[in-house]
Structure formats: C-alpha cells, structure tokens
PDB file of all heavy atoms in Angstrom:
ATOM      1  N   ILE P 228       2.128   9.305   9.178  1.00  0.00           N
ATOM      2  CA  ILE P 228       2.175   9.698   7.766  1.00  0.00           C
ATOM      3  C   ILE P 228       1.729   8.533   6.879  1.00  0.00           C
ATOM      4  O   ILE P 228       0.993   8.716   5.903  1.00  0.00           O
ATOM      5  CB  ILE P 228       3.591  10.168   7.384  1.00  0.00           C
ATOM      6  CG1 ILE P 228       3.975  11.425   8.177  1.00  0.00           C
ATOM      7  CG2 ILE P 228       3.681  10.454   5.884  1.00  0.00           C
ATOM      8  CD1 ILE P 228       5.423  11.856   7.994  1.00  0.00           C
ATOM      9  N   THR P 229       2.153   7.325   7.237  1.00  0.00           N
ATOM     10  CA  THR P 229       1.757   6.145   6.469  1.00  0.00           C
ATOM     11  C   THR P 229       0.250   5.957   6.472  1.00  0.00           C
ATOM     12  O   THR P 229      -0.377   5.702   5.432  1.00  0.00           O
ATOM     13  CB  THR P 229       2.427   4.889   7.053  1.00  0.00           C
ATOM     14  OG1 THR P 229       3.847   5.049   7.012  1.00  0.00           O
ATOM     15  CG2 THR P 229       2.040   3.648   6.258  1.00  0.00           C
ATOM     16  N   LEU P 230      -0.371   6.076   7.633  1.00  0.00           N
ATOM     17  CA  LEU P 230      -1.827   5.904   7.731  1.00  0.00           C
ATOM     18  C   LEU P 230      -2.561   7.001   6.967  1.00  0.00           C
ATOM     19  O   LEU P 230      -3.617   6.757   6.376  1.00  0.00           O
ATOM     20  CB  LEU P 230      -2.248   5.878   9.199  1.00  0.00           C
ATOM     21  CG  LEU P 230      -1.791   4.641   9.985  1.00  0.00           C
ATOM     22  CD1 LEU P 230      -2.141   4.782  11.462  1.00  0.00           C
ATOM     23  CD2 LEU P 230      -2.428   3.384   9.402  1.00  0.00           C
ATOM     24  N   MET P 231      -2.006   8.222   6.986  1.00  0.00           N
ATOM     25  CA  MET P 231      -2.608   9.301   6.193  1.00  0.00           C
ATOM     26  C   MET P 231      -2.548   8.967   4.701  1.00  0.00           C
ATOM     27  O   MET P 231      -3.499   9.216   3.954  1.00  0.00           O
ATOM     28  CB  MET P 231      -1.888  10.623   6.465  1.00  0.00           C
ATOM     29  CG  MET P 231      -2.180  11.233   7.821  1.00  0.00           C
ATOM     30  SD  MET P 231      -1.368  12.841   8.028  1.00  0.00           S
ATOM     31  CE  MET P 231      -2.276  13.826   6.839  1.00  0.00           C
ATOM     32  N   ALA P 232      -1.427   8.380   4.268  1.00  0.00           N
ATOM     33  CA  ALA P 232      -1.292   7.994   2.861  1.00  0.00           C
ATOM     34  C   ALA P 232      -2.309   6.927   2.489  1.00  0.00           C
ATOM     35  O   ALA P 232      -2.928   6.969   1.421  1.00  0.00           O
ATOM     36  CB  ALA P 232       0.135   7.501   2.591  1.00  0.00           C
ATOM     37  N   LEU P 233      -2.521   5.961   3.393  1.00  0.00           N
ATOM     38  CA  LEU P 233      -3.521   4.919   3.143  1.00  0.00           C
ATOM     39  C   LEU P 233      -4.929   5.503   3.092  1.00  0.00           C
ATOM     40  O   LEU P 233      -5.762   5.106   2.274  1.00  0.00           O
ATOM     41  CB  LEU P 233      -3.434   3.855   4.233  1.00  0.00           C
ATOM     42  CG  LEU P 233      -2.207   2.940   4.171  1.00  0.00           C
ATOM     43  CD1 LEU P 233      -2.117   2.083   5.414  1.00  0.00           C
ATOM     44  CD2 LEU P 233      -2.263   2.072   2.923  1.00  0.00           C
ATOM     45  N   LYS P 234      -5.182   6.466   3.970  1.00  0.00           N
ATOM     46  CA  LYS P 234      -6.497   7.118   3.966  1.00  0.00           C
ATOM     47  C   LYS P 234      -6.739   7.829   2.645  1.00  0.00           C
ATOM     48  O   LYS P 234      -7.847   7.782   2.087  1.00  0.00           O
ATOM     49  CB  LYS P 234      -6.580   8.117   5.125  1.00  0.00           C
ATOM     50  CG  LYS P 234      -7.928   8.827   5.220  1.00  0.00           C
ATOM     51  CD  LYS P 234      -7.944   9.830   6.362  1.00  0.00           C
ATOM     52  CE  LYS P 234      -9.281  10.571   6.407  1.00  0.00           C
ATOM     53  NZ  LYS P 234      -9.304  11.606   7.465  1.00  0.00           N
ATOM     54  N   VAL P 235      -5.690   8.502   2.130  1.00  0.00           N
ATOM     55  CA  VAL P 235      -5.804   9.188   0.841  1.00  0.00           C
ATOM     56  C   VAL P 235      -6.137   8.190  -0.264  1.00  0.00           C
ATOM     57  O   VAL P 235      -7.005   8.430  -1.110  1.00  0.00           O
ATOM     58  CB  VAL P 235      -4.496   9.943   0.518  1.00  0.00           C
ATOM     59  CG1 VAL P 235      -4.442  10.321  -0.957  1.00  0.00           C
ATOM     60  CG2 VAL P 235      -4.373  11.186   1.385  1.00  0.00           C
ATOM     61  N   LEU P 236      -5.471   7.034  -0.247  1.00  0.00           N
ATOM     62  CA  LEU P 236      -5.760   6.007  -1.250  1.00  0.00           C
ATOM     63  C   LEU P 236      -7.203   5.515  -1.129  1.00  0.00           C
ATOM     64  O   LEU P 236      -7.871   5.258  -2.129  1.00  0.00           O
ATOM     65  CB  LEU P 236      -4.791   4.833  -1.098  1.00  0.00           C
ATOM     66  CG  LEU P 236      -3.345   5.092  -1.520  1.00  0.00           C
ATOM     67  CD1 LEU P 236      -2.488   3.873  -1.239  1.00  0.00           C
ATOM     68  CD2 LEU P 236      -3.260   5.449  -2.996  1.00  0.00           C
ATOM     69  N   GLY P 237      -7.661   5.389   0.103  1.00  0.00           N
ATOM     70  CA  GLY P 237      -9.052   4.974   0.314  1.00  0.00           C
ATOM     71  C   GLY P 237     -10.028   5.991  -0.232  1.00  0.00           C
ATOM     72  O   GLY P 237     -11.038   5.638  -0.856  1.00  0.00           O
ATOM     73  N   GLU P 238      -9.738   7.276  -0.004  1.00  0.00           N
ATOM     74  CA  GLU P 238     -10.617   8.336  -0.503  1.00  0.00           C
ATOM     75  C   GLU P 238     -10.638   8.368  -2.027  1.00  0.00           C
ATOM     76  O   GLU P 238     -11.610   8.785  -2.638  1.00  0.00           O
ATOM     77  CB  GLU P 238     -10.152   9.690   0.044  1.00  0.00           C
ATOM     78  CG  GLU P 238     -10.379   9.851   1.540  1.00  0.00           C
ATOM     79  CD  GLU P 238      -9.688  11.082   2.107  1.00  0.00           C
ATOM     80  OE1 GLU P 238      -8.870  11.686   1.377  1.00  0.00           O
ATOM     81  OE2 GLU P 238      -9.961  11.437   3.268  1.00  0.00           O
ATOM     82  N   GLN P 239      -9.549   7.923  -2.646  1.00  0.00           N
ATOM     83  CA  GLN P 239      -9.470   7.893  -4.106  1.00  0.00           C
ATOM     84  C   GLN P 239      -9.938   6.559  -4.679  1.00  0.00           C
ATOM     85  O   GLN P 239      -9.747   6.270  -5.849  1.00  0.00           O
ATOM     86  CB  GLN P 239      -8.030   8.161  -4.549  1.00  0.00           C
ATOM     87  CG  GLN P 239      -7.537   9.547  -4.178  1.00  0.00           C
ATOM     88  CD  GLN P 239      -6.050   9.728  -4.436  1.00  0.00           C
ATOM     89  OE1 GLN P 239      -5.356   8.803  -4.857  1.00  0.00           O
ATOM     90  NE2 GLN P 239      -5.543  10.915  -4.164  1.00  0.00           N
ATOM     91  N   ASN P 240     -10.549   5.726  -3.798  1.00  0.00           N
ATOM     92  CA  ASN P 240     -11.051   4.409  -4.193  1.00  0.00           C
ATOM     93  C   ASN P 240      -9.947   3.469  -4.656  1.00  0.00           C
ATOM     94  O   ASN P 240     -10.191   2.521  -5.408  1.00  0.00           O
ATOM     95  CB  ASN P 240     -12.115   4.531  -5.296  1.00  0.00           C
ATOM     96  CG  ASN P 240     -13.349   5.261  -4.812  1.00  0.00           C
ATOM     97  OD1 ASN P 240     -13.790   5.063  -3.687  1.00  0.00           O
ATOM     98  ND2 ASN P 240     -13.896   6.118  -5.656  1.00  0.00           N
ATOM     99  N   SER P 241      -8.731   3.732  -4.209  1.00  0.00           N
ATOM    100  CA  SER P 241      -7.652   2.787  -4.489  1.00  0.00           C
ATOM    101  C   SER P 241      -7.659   1.647  -3.482  1.00  0.00           C
ATOM    102  O   SER P 241      -7.098   0.586  -3.723  1.00  0.00           O
ATOM    103  CB  SER P 241      -6.297   3.503  -4.444  1.00  0.00           C
ATOM    104  OG  SER P 241      -6.225   4.469  -5.466  1.00  0.00           O
ATOM    105  N   LEU P 242      -8.289   1.876  -2.338  1.00  0.00           N
ATOM    106  CA  LEU P 242      -8.465   0.832  -1.337  1.00  0.00           C
ATOM    107  C   LEU P 242      -9.956   0.597  -1.123  1.00  0.00           C
ATOM    108  O   LEU P 242     -10.704   1.553  -0.927  1.00  0.00           O
ATOM    109  CB  LEU P 242      -7.846   1.258   0.007  1.00  0.00           C
ATOM    110  CG  LEU P 242      -6.335   1.120   0.171  1.00  0.00           C
ATOM    111  CD1 LEU P 242      -5.912   1.743   1.492  1.00  0.00           C
ATOM    112  CD2 LEU P 242      -5.924  -0.338   0.141  1.00  0.00           C
ATOM    113  N   PRO P 243     -10.425  -0.629  -1.105  1.00  0.00           N
ATOM    114  CA  PRO P 243     -11.844  -0.887  -0.871  1.00  0.00           C
ATOM    115  C   PRO P 243     -12.286  -0.450   0.513  1.00  0.00           C
ATOM    116  O   PRO P 243     -13.389   0.007   0.717  1.00  0.00           O
ATOM    117  CB  PRO P 243     -11.965  -2.400  -1.031  1.00  0.00           C
ATOM    118  CG  PRO P 243     -10.731  -2.816  -1.762  1.00  0.00           C
ATOM    119  CD  PRO P 243      -9.674  -1.850  -1.378  1.00  0.00           C
ATOM    120  N   ASN P 244     -11.414  -0.578   1.509  1.00  0.00           N
ATOM    121  CA  ASN P 244     -11.781  -0.265   2.879  1.00  0.00           C
ATOM    122  C   ASN P 244     -10.510   0.033   3.656  1.00  0.00           C
ATOM    123  O   ASN P 244      -9.565  -0.752   3.629  1.00  0.00           O
ATOM    124  CB  ASN P 244     -12.514  -1.454   3.509  1.00  0.00           C
ATOM    125  CG  ASN P 244     -13.117  -1.083   4.863  1.00  0.00           C
ATOM    126  OD1 ASN P 244     -12.691  -0.127   5.487  1.00  0.00           O
ATOM    127  ND2 ASN P 244     -14.097  -1.860   5.283  1.00  0.00           N
ATOM    128  N   THR P 245     -10.470   1.179   4.340  1.00  0.00           N
ATOM    129  CA  THR P 245      -9.255   1.548   5.082  1.00  0.00           C
ATOM    130  C   THR P 245      -9.395   1.326   6.586  1.00  0.00           C
ATOM    131  O   THR P 245      -8.520   1.678   7.344  1.00  0.00           O
ATOM    132  CB  THR P 245      -8.907   3.031   4.840  1.00  0.00           C
ATOM    133  OG1 THR P 245     -10.015   3.846   5.208  1.00  0.00           O
ATOM    134  CG2 THR P 245      -8.548   3.263   3.389  1.00  0.00           C
ATOM    135  N   HIS P 246     -10.495   0.705   7.029  1.00  0.00           N
ATOM    136  CA  HIS P 246     -10.651   0.417   8.451  1.00  0.00           C
ATOM    137  C   HIS P 246      -9.827  -0.813   8.822  1.00  0.00           C
ATOM    138  O   HIS P 246      -9.795  -1.818   8.103  1.00  0.00           O
ATOM    139  CB  HIS P 246     -12.117   0.180   8.790  1.00  0.00           C
ATOM    140  CG  HIS P 246     -12.965   1.397   8.602  1.00  0.00           C
ATOM    141  ND1 HIS P 246     -12.829   2.536   9.366  1.00  0.00           N
ATOM    142  CD2 HIS P 246     -13.952   1.668   7.714  1.00  0.00           C
ATOM    143  CE1 HIS P 246     -13.705   3.447   8.973  1.00  0.00           C
ATOM    144  NE2 HIS P 246     -14.393   2.942   7.969  1.00  0.00           N
ATOM    145  N   ASN P 247      -9.162  -0.741   9.944  1.00  0.00           N
ATOM    146  CA  ASN P 247      -8.392  -1.870  10.461  1.00  0.00           C
ATOM    147  C   ASN P 247      -7.396  -2.419   9.441  1.00  0.00           C
ATOM    148  O   ASN P 247      -7.275  -3.626   9.240  1.00  0.00           O
ATOM    149  CB  ASN P 247      -9.329  -2.998  10.916  1.00  0.00           C
ATOM    150  CG  ASN P 247     -10.293  -2.528  11.981  1.00  0.00           C
ATOM    151  OD1 ASN P 247      -9.907  -1.808  12.905  1.00  0.00           O
ATOM    152  ND2 ASN P 247     -11.546  -2.922  11.857  1.00  0.00           N
ATOM    153  N   VAL P 248      -6.709  -1.525   8.784  1.00  0.00           N
ATOM    154  CA  VAL P 248      -5.736  -1.935   7.776  1.00  0.00           C
ATOM    155  C   VAL P 248      -4.418  -2.278   8.443  1.00  0.00           C
ATOM    156  O   VAL P 248      -3.947  -1.576   9.323  1.00  0.00           O
ATOM    157  CB  VAL P 248      -5.527  -0.806   6.740  1.00  0.00           C
ATOM    158  CG1 VAL P 248      -4.373  -1.151   5.802  1.00  0.00           C
ATOM    159  CG2 VAL P 248      -6.797  -0.593   5.933  1.00  0.00           C
ATOM    160  N   ILE P 249      -3.833  -3.377   8.031  1.00  0.00           N
ATOM    161  CA  ILE P 249      -2.514  -3.775   8.511  1.00  0.00           C
ATOM    162  C   ILE P 249      -1.549  -3.700   7.345  1.00  0.00           C
ATOM    163  O   ILE P 249      -1.841  -4.196   6.256  1.00  0.00           O
ATOM    164  CB  ILE P 249      -2.538  -5.211   9.090  1.00  0.00           C
ATOM    165  CG1 ILE P 249      -3.476  -5.257  10.295  1.00  0.00           C
ATOM    166  CG2 ILE P 249      -1.138  -5.670   9.462  1.00  0.00           C
ATOM    167  CD1 ILE P 249      -3.672  -6.640  10.836  1.00  0.00           C
ATOM    168  N   CYS P 250      -0.388  -3.077   7.546  1.00  0.00           N
ATOM    169  CA  CYS P 250       0.562  -2.878   6.457  1.00  0.00           C
ATOM    170  C   CYS P 250       1.879  -3.560   6.795  1.00  0.00           C
ATOM    171  O   CYS P 250       2.285  -3.587   7.957  1.00  0.00           O
ATOM    172  CB  CYS P 250       0.831  -1.389   6.242  1.00  0.00           C
ATOM    173  SG  CYS P 250      -0.655  -0.416   6.116  1.00  0.00           S
ATOM    174  N   PHE P 251       2.519  -4.100   5.816  1.00  0.00           N
ATOM    175  CA  PHE P 251       3.858  -4.609   6.028  1.00  0.00           C
ATOM    176  C   PHE P 251       4.619  -4.597   4.724  1.00  0.00           C
ATOM    177  O   PHE P 251       4.037  -4.662   3.644  1.00  0.00           O
ATOM    178  CB  PHE P 251       3.843  -6.021   6.626  1.00  0.00           C
ATOM    179  CG  PHE P 251       3.064  -7.020   5.810  1.00  0.00           C
ATOM    180  CD1 PHE P 251       3.674  -7.790   4.846  1.00  0.00           C
ATOM    181  CD2 PHE P 251       1.687  -7.184   6.030  1.00  0.00           C
ATOM    182  CE1 PHE P 251       2.955  -8.710   4.106  1.00  0.00           C
ATOM    183  CE2 PHE P 251       0.966  -8.107   5.287  1.00  0.00           C
ATOM    184  CZ  PHE P 251       1.598  -8.870   4.323  1.00  0.00           C
ATOM    185  N   TYR P 252       5.938  -4.508   4.840  1.00  0.00           N
ATOM    186  CA  TYR P 252       6.787  -4.489   3.652  1.00  0.00           C
ATOM    187  C   TYR P 252       6.823  -5.894   3.071  1.00  0.00           C
ATOM    188  O   TYR P 252       7.015  -6.863   3.787  1.00  0.00           O
ATOM    189  CB  TYR P 252       8.185  -4.026   4.052  1.00  0.00           C
ATOM    190  CG  TYR P 252       9.163  -3.976   2.910  1.00  0.00           C
ATOM    191  CD1 TYR P 252       9.258  -2.825   2.136  1.00  0.00           C
ATOM    192  CD2 TYR P 252       9.981  -5.051   2.615  1.00  0.00           C
ATOM    193  CE1 TYR P 252      10.159  -2.749   1.085  1.00  0.00           C
ATOM    194  CE2 TYR P 252      10.882  -4.979   1.568  1.00  0.00           C
ATOM    195  CZ  TYR P 252      10.959  -3.829   0.806  1.00  0.00           C
ATOM    196  OH  TYR P 252      11.860  -3.759  -0.220  1.00  0.00           O
ATOM    197  N   GLN P 253       6.635  -5.995   1.761  1.00  0.00           N
ATOM    198  CA  GLN P 253       6.594  -7.300   1.128  1.00  0.00           C
ATOM    199  C   GLN P 253       7.373  -7.296  -0.184  1.00  0.00           C
ATOM    200  O   GLN P 253       6.829  -6.933  -1.229  1.00  0.00           O
ATOM    201  CB  GLN P 253       5.140  -7.717   0.858  1.00  0.00           C
ATOM    202  CG  GLN P 253       4.989  -9.088   0.206  1.00  0.00           C
ATOM    203  CD  GLN P 253       5.512 -10.192   1.099  1.00  0.00           C
ATOM    204  OE1 GLN P 253       5.105 -10.299   2.247  1.00  0.00           O
ATOM    205  NE2 GLN P 253       6.446 -10.979   0.596  1.00  0.00           N
ATOM    206  N   PRO P 254       8.660  -7.642  -0.170  1.00  0.00           N
ATOM    207  CA  PRO P 254       9.364  -7.783  -1.440  1.00  0.00           C
ATOM    208  C   PRO P 254       8.700  -8.902  -2.235  1.00  0.00           C
ATOM    209  O   PRO P 254       8.449  -9.977  -1.701  1.00  0.00           O
ATOM    210  CB  PRO P 254      10.789  -8.169  -1.031  1.00  0.00           C
ATOM    211  CG  PRO P 254      10.870  -7.837   0.428  1.00  0.00           C
ATOM    212  CD  PRO P 254       9.487  -7.960   0.976  1.00  0.00           C
ATOM    213  N   ALA P 255       8.385  -8.643  -3.473  1.00  0.00           N
ATOM    214  CA  ALA P 255       7.633  -9.612  -4.256  1.00  0.00           C
ATOM    215  C   ALA P 255       8.373  -9.974  -5.528  1.00  0.00           C
ATOM    216  O   ALA P 255       9.263  -9.249  -5.971  1.00  0.00           O
ATOM    217  CB  ALA P 255       6.261  -9.025  -4.610  1.00  0.00           C
ATOM    218  N   PRO P 256       8.011 -11.107  -6.160  1.00  0.00           N
ATOM    219  CA  PRO P 256       8.673 -11.506  -7.411  1.00  0.00           C
ATOM    220  C   PRO P 256       8.531 -10.458  -8.507  1.00  0.00           C
ATOM    221  O   PRO P 256       9.386 -10.372  -9.379  1.00  0.00           O
ATOM    222  CB  PRO P 256       7.939 -12.795  -7.790  1.00  0.00           C
ATOM    223  CG  PRO P 256       7.366 -13.305  -6.514  1.00  0.00           C
ATOM    224  CD  PRO P 256       7.037 -12.090  -5.703  1.00  0.00           C
ATOM    225  N   TYR P 257       7.420  -9.657  -8.438  1.00  0.00           N
ATOM    226  CA  TYR P 257       7.187  -8.673  -9.484  1.00  0.00           C
ATOM    227  C   TYR P 257       7.859  -7.342  -9.168  1.00  0.00           C
ATOM    228  O   TYR P 257       7.612  -6.341  -9.812  1.00  0.00           O
ATOM    229  CB  TYR P 257       5.686  -8.438  -9.687  1.00  0.00           C
ATOM    230  CG  TYR P 257       4.896  -8.389  -8.407  1.00  0.00           C
ATOM    231  CD1 TYR P 257       4.938  -7.255  -7.600  1.00  0.00           C
ATOM    232  CD2 TYR P 257       4.137  -9.467  -8.001  1.00  0.00           C
ATOM    233  CE1 TYR P 257       4.244  -7.211  -6.421  1.00  0.00           C
ATOM    234  CE2 TYR P 257       3.429  -9.424  -6.807  1.00  0.00           C
ATOM    235  CZ  TYR P 257       3.483  -8.295  -6.031  1.00  0.00           C
ATOM    236  OH  TYR P 257       2.785  -8.257  -4.858  1.00  0.00           O
ATOM    237  N   PHE P 258       8.733  -7.346  -8.138  1.00  0.00           N
ATOM    238  CA  PHE P 258       9.419  -6.120  -7.728  1.00  0.00           C
ATOM    239  C   PHE P 258      10.157  -5.467  -8.905  1.00  0.00           C
ATOM    240  O   PHE P 258       9.963  -4.299  -9.208  1.00  0.00           O
ATOM    241  CB  PHE P 258      10.410  -6.460  -6.607  1.00  0.00           C
ATOM    242  CG  PHE P 258      11.192  -5.282  -6.092  1.00  0.00           C
ATOM    243  CD1 PHE P 258      10.688  -4.483  -5.073  1.00  0.00           C
ATOM    244  CD2 PHE P 258      12.440  -4.991  -6.626  1.00  0.00           C
ATOM    245  CE1 PHE P 258      11.418  -3.405  -4.610  1.00  0.00           C
ATOM    246  CE2 PHE P 258      13.169  -3.911  -6.146  1.00  0.00           C
ATOM    247  CZ  PHE P 258      12.657  -3.138  -5.150  1.00  0.00           C
ATOM    248  N   ALA P 259      11.002  -6.234  -9.597  1.00  0.00           N
ATOM    249  CA  ALA P 259      11.787  -5.674 -10.692  1.00  0.00           C
ATOM    250  C   ALA P 259      10.908  -5.323 -11.888  1.00  0.00           C
ATOM    251  O   ALA P 259      11.142  -4.343 -12.578  1.00  0.00           O
ATOM    252  CB  ALA P 259      12.864  -6.659 -11.109  1.00  0.00           C
ATOM    253  N   ALA P 260       9.879  -6.120 -12.089  1.00  0.00           N
ATOM    254  CA  ALA P 260       9.010  -5.893 -13.241  1.00  0.00           C
ATOM    255  C   ALA P 260       8.249  -4.587 -13.141  1.00  0.00           C
ATOM    256  O   ALA P 260       7.807  -4.033 -14.146  1.00  0.00           O
ATOM    257  CB  ALA P 260       8.015  -7.045 -13.378  1.00  0.00           C
ATOM    258  N   GLU P 261       8.096  -4.083 -11.939  1.00  0.00           N
ATOM    259  CA  GLU P 261       7.330  -2.856 -11.731  1.00  0.00           C
ATOM    260  C   GLU P 261       8.248  -1.642 -11.624  1.00  0.00           C
ATOM    261  O   GLU P 261       7.916  -0.654 -11.002  1.00  0.00           O
ATOM    262  CB  GLU P 261       6.471  -2.972 -10.460  1.00  0.00           C
ATOM    263  CG  GLU P 261       5.416  -4.046 -10.526  1.00  0.00           C
ATOM    264  CD  GLU P 261       4.348  -3.740 -11.564  1.00  0.00           C
ATOM    265  OE1 GLU P 261       4.256  -2.577 -11.988  1.00  0.00           O
ATOM    266  OE2 GLU P 261       3.616  -4.656 -11.958  1.00  0.00           O
ATOM    267  N   GLY P 262       9.425  -1.729 -12.175  1.00  0.00           N
ATOM    268  CA  GLY P 262      10.303  -0.565 -12.233  1.00  0.00           C
ATOM    269  C   GLY P 262      11.232  -0.443 -11.047  1.00  0.00           C
ATOM    270  O   GLY P 262      11.892   0.567 -10.863  1.00  0.00           O
ATOM    271  N   GLY P 263      11.263  -1.472 -10.190  1.00  0.00           N
ATOM    272  CA  GLY P 263      12.188  -1.434  -9.069  1.00  0.00           C
ATOM    273  C   GLY P 263      11.712  -0.626  -7.888  1.00  0.00           C
ATOM    274  O   GLY P 263      12.467  -0.305  -7.001  1.00  0.00           O
ATOM    275  N   TYR P 264      10.420  -0.268  -7.851  1.00  0.00           N
ATOM    276  CA  TYR P 264       9.911   0.495  -6.714  1.00  0.00           C
ATOM    277  C   TYR P 264       9.719  -0.446  -5.530  1.00  0.00           C
ATOM    278  O   TYR P 264       9.412  -1.625  -5.700  1.00  0.00           O
ATOM    279  CB  TYR P 264       8.544   1.117  -7.029  1.00  0.00           C
ATOM    280  CG  TYR P 264       8.529   2.090  -8.176  1.00  0.00           C
ATOM    281  CD1 TYR P 264       7.334   2.640  -8.603  1.00  0.00           C
ATOM    282  CD2 TYR P 264       9.690   2.473  -8.828  1.00  0.00           C
ATOM    283  CE1 TYR P 264       7.302   3.532  -9.662  1.00  0.00           C
ATOM    284  CE2 TYR P 264       9.672   3.352  -9.881  1.00  0.00           C
ATOM    285  CZ  TYR P 264       8.470   3.874 -10.299  1.00  0.00           C
ATOM    286  OH  TYR P 264       8.424   4.741 -11.334  1.00  0.00           O
ATOM    287  N   PRO P 265       9.833   0.063  -4.294  1.00  0.00           N
ATOM    288  CA  PRO P 265       9.441  -0.752  -3.147  1.00  0.00           C
ATOM    289  C   PRO P 265       7.974  -1.146  -3.279  1.00  0.00           C
ATOM    290  O   PRO P 265       7.156  -0.370  -3.739  1.00  0.00           O
ATOM    291  CB  PRO P 265       9.655   0.189  -1.956  1.00  0.00           C
ATOM    292  CG  PRO P 265      10.631   1.191  -2.456  1.00  0.00           C
ATOM    293  CD  PRO P 265      10.346   1.353  -3.909  1.00  0.00           C
ATOM    294  N   THR P 266       7.660  -2.356  -2.873  1.00  0.00           N
ATOM    295  CA  THR P 266       6.301  -2.858  -3.016  1.00  0.00           C
ATOM    296  C   THR P 266       5.739  -3.146  -1.631  1.00  0.00           C
ATOM    297  O   THR P 266       6.432  -3.680  -0.767  1.00  0.00           O
ATOM    298  CB  THR P 266       6.290  -4.156  -3.859  1.00  0.00           C
ATOM    299  OG1 THR P 266       6.964  -3.904  -5.073  1.00  0.00           O
ATOM    300  CG2 THR P 266       4.875  -4.608  -4.144  1.00  0.00           C
ATOM    301  N   TYR P 267       4.472  -2.833  -1.423  1.00  0.00           N
ATOM    302  CA  TYR P 267       3.858  -3.058  -0.126  1.00  0.00           C
ATOM    303  C   TYR P 267       2.612  -3.908  -0.300  1.00  0.00           C
ATOM    304  O   TYR P 267       1.912  -3.828  -1.310  1.00  0.00           O
ATOM    305  CB  TYR P 267       3.499  -1.730   0.540  1.00  0.00           C
ATOM    306  CG  TYR P 267       4.689  -0.831   0.654  1.00  0.00           C
ATOM    307  CD1 TYR P 267       4.925   0.164  -0.286  1.00  0.00           C
ATOM    308  CD2 TYR P 267       5.633  -1.050   1.650  1.00  0.00           C
ATOM    309  CE1 TYR P 267       6.062   0.934  -0.228  1.00  0.00           C
ATOM    310  CE2 TYR P 267       6.772  -0.275   1.719  1.00  0.00           C
ATOM    311  CZ  TYR P 267       6.982   0.711   0.783  1.00  0.00           C
ATOM    312  OH  TYR P 267       8.111   1.483   0.837  1.00  0.00           O
ATOM    313  N   CYS P 268       2.376  -4.713   0.694  1.00  0.00           N
ATOM    314  CA  CYS P 268       1.180  -5.541   0.675  1.00  0.00           C
ATOM    315  C   CYS P 268       0.275  -5.071   1.795  1.00  0.00           C
ATOM    316  O   CYS P 268       0.714  -4.878   2.925  1.00  0.00           O
ATOM    317  CB  CYS P 268       1.561  -7.010   0.868  1.00  0.00           C
ATOM    318  SG  CYS P 268       0.156  -8.114   0.762  1.00  0.00           S
TER     319      CYS P 268
END
C-alpha cells in the first residue's frame, strides 16, 4: 500500500522519480510546525 501511495505521488508529479525509492520514518524539527502530522523522508 505504501509503494502504491508513492506511485500515486509520482504520477501527480509530487515525486521527481519513483524508481528505487527508499522510505523511512523521519521525525523532524518541523513536525509540530506542519500541524503535527507524521513526517516521512
């Protein structure tokens, strides 16, 4: 399901390239500033 979501983002030009994509959870300093949503890198 995660890879399908990334593919959708790629099709919408939200990702420059979806080939060989590696995903991991990344809590970031801007976590709270962005409304408290989980953030991914």
Side-chain angles (χ1 to χ4, degrees):
I228 297 173
T229 301
L230 291 174
M231 287 183 68
L233 288 171
K234 181 181 178 183
V235 164
L236 289 177
E238 290 169 349
Q239 296 171 358
N240 296 320
S241 296
L242 280 173
N244 189 339
T245 57
H246 295 294
N247 302 317
V248 172
I249 298 174
C250 310
F251 56 92
Y252 180 88
Q253 181 63 54
Y257 40 76
F258 180 87
E261 296 294 343
Y264 299 176
T266 307
Y267 304 97
C268 183

